[in-house]
Amino acid sequence: MELNKRQEQILQIVKDYGPITGESIAEKLNLTRATLRPDLAILTMAGYLEARPRVGYFYTGKTGKQLFADKMKKMKVEDYQSIPVVINENVSVYDAIVTMFLEDVGTLFVVDDESLLAGVLSRKDLLRASLGKQELTAIPVNIIMTRMPNIAVCYKDDPLIDVAEQLIEKQIDAMPVVRKTEKGYEVIGRITKTNITKAFVSLAKED
Ligand code: ADP
């Protein structure tokens, strides 16, 4: 976040004299408290200042970089997830390929007859299966998918940055967002590298 001149002045005053009330900051700048209110609100919301009732404003000591990292860690999966594209494990490889094109996704999640997560299919899984001479309409996806319990999953409350780290570490493009039940995992969303890219851009545009 770029600070304006007045906001920089306020920060300097709080650094030098904090804890200090809004009233006293206004006096030092020869302005009214009302004029300063929006700037104080911005500095507090952005994390540069902290306001304590009846005491005044403190300088948090955090740099722009630290505040950026704080913001990133606060981003949650549920705020950036997409709708998952799910197929049954008995569907043929041929139909899975058609679904991938029609739904315009790179990863399909595979569920069993109870709608619980059973596996994952990536583009290359399907390409690999297509290289052989098998009849694609006759092979069910559960023969070729990556299956449970080897699926990396995430939850809606997880920090997005943790999911991003796992995508890199495990060299995968997507993770299902799941809800844990007694029987297994229900698939409620998906996080892909695209969601992470969008989150990254939204951080820069936030002001
Ligand atoms: P691609 O294979 O098209 O490059 P990925 O990198 O996502 O796409 O997939 C690599 C392999 O990892 C595939 O075999 C895929 O089934 C598997 N895979 C994809 N997502 C997951 C996941 N969330 N958990 C475990 N394995 C996964």
Side-chain angles (χ1 to χ4, degrees):
M1 186 180 92
E2 288 270 345
L3 298 184
N4 66 29
K5 192 159 165 261
R6 189 188 287 160
Q7 288 161 355
E8 294 281 5
Q9 286 175 321
I10 295 172
L11 263 193
Q12 195 55 51
I13 290 171
V14 179
K15 270 187 209 173
D16 294 343
Y17 303 99
I20 178 168
T21 63
E23 204 67 51
S24 309
I25 300 170
E27 257 170 46
K28 288 191 185 294
L29 289 170
N30 281 326
L31 294 166
T32 66
R33 172 82 177 83
T35 316
L36 279 195
R37 198 160 285 136
D39 289 318
L40 286 170
I42 287 166
L43 289 170
T44 309
M45 264 184 335
Y48 288 97
L49 298 183
E50 225 174 273
R52 304 235 175 103
R54 285 182 298 279
V55 182
Y57 290 91
F58 287 85
Y59 178 59
T60 59
K62 288 192 175 171
T63 62
K65 228 187 201 169
Q66 286 170 312
L67 293 168
F68 192 73
D70 283 354
K71 248 189 215 167
M72 209 176 245
K73 285 180 200 154
K74 277 192 199 132
M75 299 174 113
K76 296 280 186 235
V77 161
E78 66 181 330
D79 299 324
Y80 296 92
Q81 71 186 42
S82 308
I83 295 166
V85 178
V86 167
I87 57 170
N88 183 277
E89 62 180 337
N90 297 314
V91 159
S92 70
V93 170
Y94 182 91
D95 285 341
I97 294 172
V98 172
T99 305
M100 194 171 265
F101 275 101
L102 289 180
E103 301 284 348
D104 196 18
V105 291
T107 308
L108 298 171
F109 301 122
V110 185
V111 294
D112 60 20
D113 290 334
E114 292 186 276
S115 295
L116 298 171
L117 180 65
V120 172
L121 280 172
S122 73
R123 279 182 271 235
K124 266 184 241 146
D125 292 333
L126 293 172
L127 271 180
R128 196 180 302 114
S130 310
L131 283 177
K133 295 225 164 13
Q134 304 103 315
E135 178 51 58
L136 296 184
T137 52
I139 318 165
V141 288
N142 62 18
I143 305 283
I144 65 153
M145 69 189 186
T146 301
R147 61 187 58 251
M148 286 292 284
N150 298 321
I151 310 294
V153 300
C154 63
Y155 298 89
K156 68 179 174 62
D157 299 326
D158 284 346
L160 197 62
I161 191 75
D162 290 357
V163 177
E165 274 190 310
Q166 284 203 62
L167 292 183
I168 294 170
E169 194 184 304
K170 296 184 174 21
Q171 299 186 15
I172 51 177
D173 290 348
M175 265 164 74
V177 184
V178 298
R179 189 185 294 128
K180 203 175 175 155
T181 71
E182 280 163 24
K183 290 183 185 168
Y185 294 126
E186 279 171 17
V187 182
I188 59 170
R190 99 189 128 97
I191 290 285
T192 68
K193 287 181 176 171
T194 305
N195 300 113
I196 308 281
T197 308
K198 282 185 181 161
F200 178 74
V201 170
S202 78
L203 261 187
K205 293 209 166 146
E206 213 174 83
D207 222 339

